[in-house]
Amino acid sequence: MVYDCDRCTQIYTLYTIEYCDKGIASTSFGWVTRTSLKRNEELKKHLSEAQEKLLVIARSRYLDLWLNYFSEAKSKKAVWGMLSKLFGQETSLSTFYSNSKNLTAYLDNYFNFNNYGKIISVLNIDDADLEQQMVVFTELNQQLEESNYQLYKEKFK
């Protein structure tokens, strides 16, 4: 179905969804209402802002603690071993050596959202502000998943 009349183009817009089905990446297209898509985009924006706020709080309070966590390591090889133990998928030692010429910057890069949970856990951090911000993030993420599902359902109408 193509919505190319003036009234329909004011109400509907083409929506693209990328998804994975049984390990195969796929792309699907469908028509959804502009209001539904706008709400979805706003949720994505709010989720990104919540994630950024969480990281700003965590990094401002605990980045030094994270860097100090590695201060007892007597060599770069020991740091590589600690990272491998924590994250389980560290690069080879030779790659680590070539990428970690500035070890502080290298460790700083690890303090990101993907590693947030492990870092907070390994540093034994209990911070009410971070927990509250994580609740906000989780709620927004759930709303976004519901919105994505609604768009997915709506595009088949």
Side-chain angles (χ1 to χ4, degrees):
M1 180 184 316
V2 177
Y3 294 99
D4 58 2
C5 71
D6 289 339
R7 182 171 169 263
C8 292
T9 57
Q10 291 175 357
I11 298 171
Y12 297 97
T13 188
L14 189 60
Y15 173 64
T16 305
I17 183 170
E18 295 177 0
Y19 61 96
C20 190
D21 185 23
K22 298 178 184 173
I24 299 172
S26 298
T27 303
S28 179
F29 303 93
W31 294 97
V32 297
T33 60
R34 291 182 180 276
T35 54
S36 295
L37 187 59
K38 183 178 179 184
R39 180 178 184 277
N40 185 273
E41 289 168 351
E42 287 172 358
L43 282 170
K44 286 179 185 176
K45 180 182 169 206
H46 292 309
L47 184 67
S48 178
E49 290 168 352
Q51 178 178 326
E52 183 62 29
K53 184 176 179 181
L54 179 75
L55 274 177
V56 166
I57 294 169
R59 288 176 65 87
S60 68
R61 294 180 186 176
Y62 303 112
L63 180 59
D64 288 339
L65 185 61
W66 169 247
L67 297 174
N68 287 334
Y69 178 77
F70 296 92
S71 64
E72 293 180 17
K74 301 203 186 298
S75 65
K76 279 190 173 184
K77 185 175 181 179
V79 171
W80 174 80
M82 293 170 75
L83 288 170
S84 295
K85 185 176 178 183
L86 284 173
F87 298 105
Q89 56 191 31
E90 184 54 38
T91 61
S92 70
L93 184 57
S94 61
T95 302
F96 173 76
Y97 282 147
S98 64
N99 291 340
S100 65
K101 289 183 177 27
N102 181 342
L103 189 57
T104 302
Y106 189 85
L107 293 171
D108 183 284
N109 285 333
Y110 264 89
F111 205 116
N112 59 48
F113 189 76
N114 292 334
N115 298 331
Y116 168 81
K118 276 214 194 263
I119 291 171
I120 295 302
S121 175
V122 84
L123 297 178
N124 295 318
I125 293 172
D126 184 20
D127 186 318
D129 293 336
L130 287 177
E131 289 176 17
Q132 177 58 38
Q133 191 58 36
M134 185 52 95
V135 166
V136 169
F137 175 83
T138 303
E139 289 172 355
L140 285 168
N141 193 46
Q142 184 177 10
Q143 289 175 23
L144 181 60
E145 287 179 11
E146 290 170 7
S147 175
N148 285 337
Y149 180 69
Q150 291 304 318
L151 284 175
Y152 185 77
K153 281 182 16 183
E154 183 178 319
K155 78 179 190 75
F156 288 109
K157 287 184 178 180

